[in-house]
Amino acid sequence: MSNGTSVRYKVAEAARSAGVSASTLRLWESQGLVVPDRSATGHRQYSAEDVARLKKIAWYRTERGLNPAAIREALESEEPSDSSDAADASDLGRRLRSLRHAAGKTLDQVAGDVGVAASTLSTLERTSQGVSFKTLHDLAEYYSTTVSRLSGEERDAVPEVVRAGAWRTWPETTPGVTVQLLAEGRTMMDCHRFVLAPGAASEGAYRHDGEEFMHVLSGRLELVLDSDQFFDLGPGDSLYFESRRYHSWRNRHDGETILIWINTPPTF
């Protein structure tokens, strides 16, 4: 959750400021209460905003006696529900939080229903990152919406040329998976360009309504249907299948795999 400020605190410094131990900070991170940045060598780095959040967490814990779930809810209630100048990346998390509030659910309830850790869901709502593609689909289905809508693909359809290299990009919720829009607006098809880093995968099988078509431009993709049909797709290969079939995928290339992926109707 760290942002543009240049001040960075090490674990020991941040712990001292919050009046707790370094091991407590690591525990709070595992519970999804705070998400520090990482240095190039993998060390935790806390911003001034993070330290202020740590102090609030410590106060809620000692003065109010709240458990981690209650602390997450208390911190969340302090955050503005909307911000017109926020980036699209944080919009996805806010949309999920708004849907959860509208459903009258707590983080722990939704996490239990969907089958993810509450800390993972909390991180997603605050940073729009940290979940597999499968989990994102499961959440969209849980809230009776689509991943495309969650990712901000709801715009009025107008005839428009999308120039090469000028694609609008989804928030990168899943490491190594970049999704670019090839058509804008409320269309009858979800038209996307997927760029998959080496090893990037759905991390599980998912399904939804509709039909879909994929065409590999470069690299190599492994697609599995219903856990027992394996397809090894290379450059120039295409595949069309019903979306209600469970499907999972993985980039098996040692470089990027790039493909065109179309879903219809827009239930993706």
Side-chain angles (χ1 to χ4, degrees), residues 45-235:
Q45 294 182 323
Y46 296 82
S47 69
E49 181 185 3
D50 290 330
V51 171
R53 183 181 180 92
L54 291 172
K55 292 178 180 178
K56 288 182 179 179
I57 295 169
W59 183 85
Y60 279 123
R61 188 182 69 158
T62 58
E63 300 298 324
R64 298 280 300 277
L66 300 184
N67 61 29
I71 292 174
R72 283 195 300 267
E73 295 294 331
L75 290 170
E76 182 182 297
S77 68
E78 296 178 359
E79 299 174 359
S81 59
D82 194 13
S83 175
S84 59
D85 60 354
D88 285 345
S90 60
D91 286 345
L92 183 145
R94 278 200 300 274
R95 290 187 187 101
L96 285 168
R97 188 170 63 214
S98 178
L99 287 168
R100 180 169 59 78
H101 285 171
K105 299 280 189 177
T106 66
L107 277 166
D108 292 285
Q109 286 173 327
V110 174
D113 291 343
V114 176
V116 298
S119 59
T120 298
L121 184 57
S122 175
T123 299
L124 176 63
E125 290 190 0
R126 289 187 290 104
T127 68
S128 296
Q129 297 178 344
V131 298
S132 69
F133 218 74
K134 176 190 183 304
T135 296
L136 197 59
H137 265 277
D138 290 345
L139 285 167
E141 185 173 20
Y142 183 81
Y143 290 123
S144 300
T145 185
T146 67
V147 177
S148 295
R149 293 194 187 99
L150 288 176
S151 300
E153 206 169 320
E154 279 289 296
R155 295 187 176 185
D156 292 332
V158 294
E160 181 179 354
V161 175
V162 179
R163 299 294 181 185
W167 308 288
R168 192 160 60 90
T169 302
W170 278 6
E172 191 171 328
T173 58
T174 305
V177 180
T178 300
V179 183
Q180 299 160 329
L181 275 64
L182 298 180
E184 297 277 359
R186 299 179 177 88
T187 60
M188 288 300 295
M189 296 185 292
D190 284 330
C191 303
H192 300 122
R193 181 179 186 266
F194 274 62
V195 181
L196 306 177
S202 61
E203 299 182 28
Y206 57 92
R207 64 179 180 173
H208 50 94
D209 290 330
E211 300 175 352
E212 49 198 282
F213 166 83
M214 58 174 59
H215 176 78
V216 178
L217 298 176
S218 63
R220 187 160 294 278
L221 183 80
E222 179 186 79
L223 183 91
V224 182
L225 293 178
D226 295 329
S227 302
D228 59 4
Q229 283 191 280
F230 292 78
F231 298 89
D232 185 14
L233 305 177

Side-chain angles (χ1 to χ4, degrees), residues 24-47:
T24 296
L25 293 197
R26 297 187 183 95
L27 174 62
W28 289 352
E29 182 180 347
S30 71
Q31 294 170 337
L33 296 175
V34 65
V35 184
D37 284 337
R38 296 275 183 163
S39 68
T41 55
H43 292 92
R44 293 172 176 81
Q45 294 182 323
Y46 296 82
S47 69

Side-chain angles (χ1 to χ4, degrees), residues 195-198 218-220 251 253-258:
V195 181
L196 306 177
S218 63
R220 187 160 294 278
N251 177 16
H253 186 49
D254 57 4
E256 285 186 341
T257 288
I258 302 175

